[in-house]
Amino acid sequence: MHSLFITQVYQSKIKTNLASLIEESAQIEKADGAGREWSKQNYHSSYTSYGSWDQLYRLSSEFEKLQKKIDSHVMKYAKSLDYHLPRGALKMNSMWVNIMRPGAQHTAHIHPHSVISGTYYLQTPPGCSSIKFEDPRLGFFMNAPVVKQSAKKANQRYVSLQPRAGDLILFESWLRHEVPRNETKKPRLSVSFNYGWSAE
Ligand SMILES: [Fe+2]
């Protein structure tokens, strides 16, 4: 049996000062009026600095430390993907915070103009949403039967990963994913980011 065209998703723990990152996220929300306005239009009942302060590693040393830690995991991930890239070509180009309050969700999307994307989890109340990935070949299946509920992970059409605070998840930016509704009573906090590449 040949396993071909594999989709790799990376998960690992990163040790950081979670309490500081959580506190700074609250401060960022308070200070970022444009982001709160953007979130009102696009992210009901919640806050993201995606449309405003999207380079948090330039703003705060705590987020910069996080960026450096993520960098080393991205290098490992890129190695596993066998990307043919010059050394140092992959660079983080955006990082933003997401405060998903009860009832908030993030419908299926990809991250255009990026190579590797991911999320680092700061606060994950018990029972909070997973991150759900969709088989990128879904549009080609035509008459293919659905798979058994008991199908092994590699054969499932959707796979939900349940990250915990301190977990890092990396995926290729073209891989469609969503965050279902936060059904808990507490906010789910995360930091998301994109990496691009350039030959220079
Ligand atoms: Fe995303």
Side-chain angles (χ1 to χ4, degrees):
M1 191 62 73
H2 302 276
S3 290
L4 305 176
F5 316 122
I6 309 301
T7 306
Q8 298 187 57
V9 174
Y10 180 101
Q11 181 167 3
S12 182
K13 292 233 171 275
I14 302 187
K15 238 182 137 66
T16 60
N17 188 339
L18 282 174
S20 295
L21 288 167
I22 290 170
E23 199 186 314
E24 286 195 20
S25 300
Q27 288 165 358
I28 288 165
E29 180 179 15
K30 252 186 215 160
D32 176 20
R36 288 201 309 275
E37 201 45 49
W38 193 93
S39 302
K40 220 187 258 177
Q41 308 296 328
N42 300 284
Y43 204 36
H44 287 295
S45 80
S46 293
Y47 166 74
T48 174
S49 66
Y50 173 73
S52 48
W53 294 2
D54 67 350
Q55 307 225 322
L56 292 182
Y57 45 88
R58 291 179 195 268
L59 199 75
S60 138
S61 60
E62 209 61 55
F63 280 89
E64 191 190 3
K65 271 191 252 169
L66 174 62
Q67 177 208 6
K68 295 212 166 99
K69 288 185 178 173
I70 295 172
D71 273 351
S72 67
H73 288 272
V74 167
M75 295 314 126
K76 266 197 235 171
Y77 181 45
K79 197 168 176 210
S80 173
L81 290 163
D82 277 326
Y83 281 166
H84 183 52
L85 283 177
R87 227 182 145 76
L90 272 174
K91 281 202 182 76
M92 188 184 280
N93 57 29
S94 54
M95 176 191 250
W96 63 96
V97 68
N98 310 294
I99 302 182
M100 271 187 100
R101 301 211 160 83
Q105 62 177 326
H106 201 164
T107 50
H109 62 283
I110 56 170
H111 292 214
H113 311 301
S114 298
V115 176
I116 287 173
S117 299
T119 299
Y120 179 63
Y121 294 86
L122 304 183
Q123 181 173 291
T124 53
C128 78
S129 332
S130 54
I131 178 167
K132 184 176 173 186
F133 294 99
E134 178 185 305
D135 188 329
R137 305 163 303 171
L138 209 57
F140 300 112
F141 284 145
M142 304 207 311
N143 201 28
V146 295
V147 296
K148 297 174 193 160
Q149 271 210 318
S150 59
K152 55 187 167 198
K153 204 190 269 178
N155 286 341
Q156 286 172 15
R157 306 296 195 225
Y158 296 92
V159 175
S160 292
L161 299 181
Q162 187 68 70
R164 290 282 158 241
D167 280 350
L168 170 76
I169 289 188
L170 303 174
F171 48 89
E172 289 182 273
S173 305
W174 48 259
L175 184 62
R176 195 182 301 273
H177 57 284
E178 65 175 285
V179 183
R181 220 174 110 90
N182 181 4
E183 302 284 1
T184 72
K185 292 193 161 57
K186 287 193 170 158
R188 175 188 188 274
L189 264 68
S190 62
V191 178
S192 295
F193 47 82
N194 289 322
Y195 280 74
W197 78 274
S198 91
E200 292 156 30

